[in-house]
Amino acid sequence: MSTEETPGTGTPGPLWPAMLPPRRQGDDSLCAISAKGIRVRFADGHERLDGSSGLWNANLGYGNSAIAEAVSEALTTASYLSSWSFENSYTRQAAAALVELVGPQQFSRVIFSTSGGAANEVCMKIARHFHVLRNEPERKIILGLRDGFHGLTYGAFALTDAQLGQRMYGVDRRFVGHVAANDPAAISDALAKLRGRVSAIVVEPVLGTGAIPLSDEYVAELLRLRKEHGFLLVADEITTGFARIGNAMFESQGWPEAPDLVITSKALTNGTMAASAIVVSRAVAQKFHDFDTVLGHAETQSGTAVAGAAIIATIAEHQRYDSILLSSNLAKRIDVVLAELVEREPLVVGATGRGCLRALQLANAQGPLERADVDRLVAAIRAAGALVHPGPSCIQLVPALIYSDDDLAELADRVSAGLTLFANER
């Protein structure tokens, strides 16, 4: 069946898209055909303002020519060169650039992967292997945060707290647990009960689901407990990395002490490649070096020359744009816009988040908006000309760092228009 035979009907064609109900598949208003800057054109003929930076990954907007040219050159001159039992010059350079970016005083090595979920699984392996090398094989438990999202591959799916069918799929959670974010007592109690069996704690500096920042007090307690209990602390910066928050290239760079592992993906290639990376601290890397031991992980498409070229070019573009300053300035304007939306829109009861990772909290007379209503609101905002992402009783606003004042004002206007459409439909 050709796509021409199912335009906008909701009848699925050959493509089985991710996380989209079959009744909504085959809809041309959801089929993107091109993107440039901060706008996406769809097969139904409409162009829409992107308020989500793709999936929070096109931090510098679509169609960056420097990244495209770097990838083109690598495809021509290097094609497929891997990092499985080999090295290649592109990923050597990309790894060096990432270490420099995250902090060469604390970090020394980089492992490449292909997605945020896979990278989380690499971290779980590193943590358990590290403790075996320390003669602590009982340390197998990985703790994450409630409402945290780390991916949908099996290991990462266990760590993801949102209930998305883990029991149905047989996801193994015997060695994974979850504790409340921003509750120091909860994490301390969990560690006391688990008595030296925790291998690592994985946290998002700002929980992408709902845009909830970790408090300074909570981070300080995590760092204190790391010294007391000896677990590895993993900063999942898949969403917060590459100047998304505005204070630094990575949010954990503002912590009093560095984490042991930093995960980056999404904006790592400005959304152009299936690529992720784990930046490894000197202490953890040294333990593997001392034992000359091989980490049991590899992927055919991880650390390829083409991905390396995209990473190198993306880092260079962030430096050219001075993206930390861009993000910081945009965040200040977002503060004003969100305050105005909270003031004038009856359904908007608050705003959460930090920097350029925000969410509008939604409620009606019956209480926080249910997921079905949030989905309907997202569709209404799309009909009004903008793309936003749904969250738990919220919509998430994650604009590209290159947004102008006019772009941000347009996004706010289209969100307001969508809220009006949604209210009139009820």
Side-chain angles (χ1 to χ4, degrees):
M1 184 180 292
S2 70
T3 54
E4 287 78 8
E5 293 175 298
T6 59
T9 64
T11 302
L15 174 64
W16 192 334
M19 305 303 285
L20 190 67
R23 61 181 170 75
R24 296 179 60 198
Q25 296 171 18
D27 184 346
D28 278 357
S29 72
L30 297 176
C31 180
I33 59 174
S34 65
K36 185 67 178 176
I38 56 172
R39 298 178 193 276
V40 182
R41 182 164 292 279
F42 289 82
D44 66 353
H46 289 89
E47 185 177 78
R48 297 177 175 90
L49 177 68
D50 187 356
S52 297
S53 300
L55 272 175
W56 315 335
N57 52 3
N59 286 13
L60 300 178
Y62 298 107
N64 182 287
S65 59
I67 299 171
E69 289 166 8
V71 168
S72 176
E73 186 273 339
L75 283 167
T76 302
T77 62
S79 186
Y80 175 76
L81 299 178
S82 81
S83 295
W84 186 333
S85 298
F86 290 91
E87 299 183 25
N88 67 74
S89 59
Y90 291 84
T91 45
R92 275 187 173 183
Q93 186 180 342
L98 279 169
V99 167
E100 188 65 30
L101 199 66
V102 179
Q105 295 78 22
Q106 296 83 20
F107 297 91
S108 64
R109 308 297 303 277
V110 175
I111 300 171
F112 289 106
S113 185
T114 53
S115 71
N120 269 278
E121 298 194 10
V122 175
C123 286
M124 295 166 83
K125 289 180 178 179
I126 291 172
R128 288 167 175 158
H129 196 155
F130 173 79
H131 288 294
V132 168
L133 295 176
R134 295 180 63 186
N135 199 28
E136 298 176 314
E138 70 282 359
R139 285 187 178 267
K140 288 185 169 63
I141 295 174
I142 310 287
L143 293 180
L145 300 183
R146 288 182 191 153
D147 297 322
F149 187 92
H150 301 281
L152 297 175
T153 52
Y154 264 79
F157 206 177
L159 196 57
T160 290
D161 185 49
Q163 298 308 302
L164 296 167
Q166 285 93 331
R167 180 173 293 182
M168 172 178 64
Y169 294 122
V171 173
D172 188 350
R173 280 182 158 170
R174 287 175 297 172
F175 298 108
V176 172
H178 297 88
V179 293
N182 291 328
D183 185 345
I187 190 71
S188 184
D189 289 347
L191 288 165
K193 290 175 184 176
L194 292 167
R195 297 183 218 172
R197 289 182 289 146
V198 174
S199 174
I201 297 179
V202 184
V203 302
E204 299 166 275
V206 179
L207 274 70
T209 304
I212 306 298
L214 297 187
S215 68
D216 292 342
E217 294 77 14
Y218 190 70
V219 170
E221 182 67 355
L222 282 173
L223 295 170
R224 185 190 72 78
L225 290 168
R226 177 177 63 171
K227 288 180 182 176
E228 180 180 338
H229 293 274
F231 58 82
L232 297 185
L233 181 57
V234 182
D236 180 342
E237 298 237 33
I238 291 166
T239 297
T240 54
F242 282 85
R244 173 53 62 188
I245 305 303
N247 300 319
M249 287 299 284
F250 294 87
E251 180 70 354
S252 61
Q253 288 174 313
W255 292 358
E257 299 172 18
D260 298 289
L261 304 168
V262 174
I263 307 173
T264 178
S265 185
K266 290 191 180 293
L268 175 65
T269 66
N270 202 47
T272 62
M273 292 278 151
S276 59
I278 303 93
V279 187
V280 183
S281 70
R282 290 184 174 275
V284 172
Q286 187 62 46
K287 184 64 68 175
F288 283 80
H289 179 77
D290 289 345
F291 284 85
D292 194 28
T293 191
V294 174
L295 177 69
H297 187 89
E299 302 164 58
T300 302
Q301 294 296 331
S302 65
T304 64
V306 177
I311 292 165
I312 296 162
T314 298
I315 292 172
E317 283 296 273
H318 274 274
Q319 293 167 341
R320 183 176 73 85
Y321 271 103
D322 194 354
S323 59
I324 296 173
L325 181 61
L326 272 184
S327 181
S328 178
N329 289 339
L330 179 57
K332 293 173 186 175
R333 301 199 301 272
I334 292 174
D335 287 338
V336 175
V337 166
L338 295 191
E340 291 172 349
L341 287 169
V342 172
E343 178 69 24
R344 73 171 183 254
E345 297 294 344
L347 279 177
V348 180
V349 296
T352 56
R354 187 180 290 164
C356 299
L357 175 60
R358 304 297 184 96
L360 290 175
Q361 301 299 317
L362 306 166
N364 54 24
Q366 289 72 48
L369 227 57
E370 298 289 339
R371 178 57 191 256
D373 281 335
V374 173
D375 287 343
R376 288 180 52 242
L377 175 57
V378 168
I381 293 171
R382 186 172 65 249
L387 306 173
V388 298
H389 199 76
S393 300
C394 69
I395 56 170
Q396 306 204 156
L397 304 180
V398 193
L401 308 184
I402 60 172
Y403 257 52
S404 68
D405 290 352
D406 289 345
D407 297 329
L408 188 59
E410 180 184 345
L411 178 61
D413 288 345
R414 295 190 185 278
V415 168
S416 289
L419 285 161
T420 300
L421 283 173
F422 173 79
N424 290 340
E425 289 173 357
R426 293 178 62 81

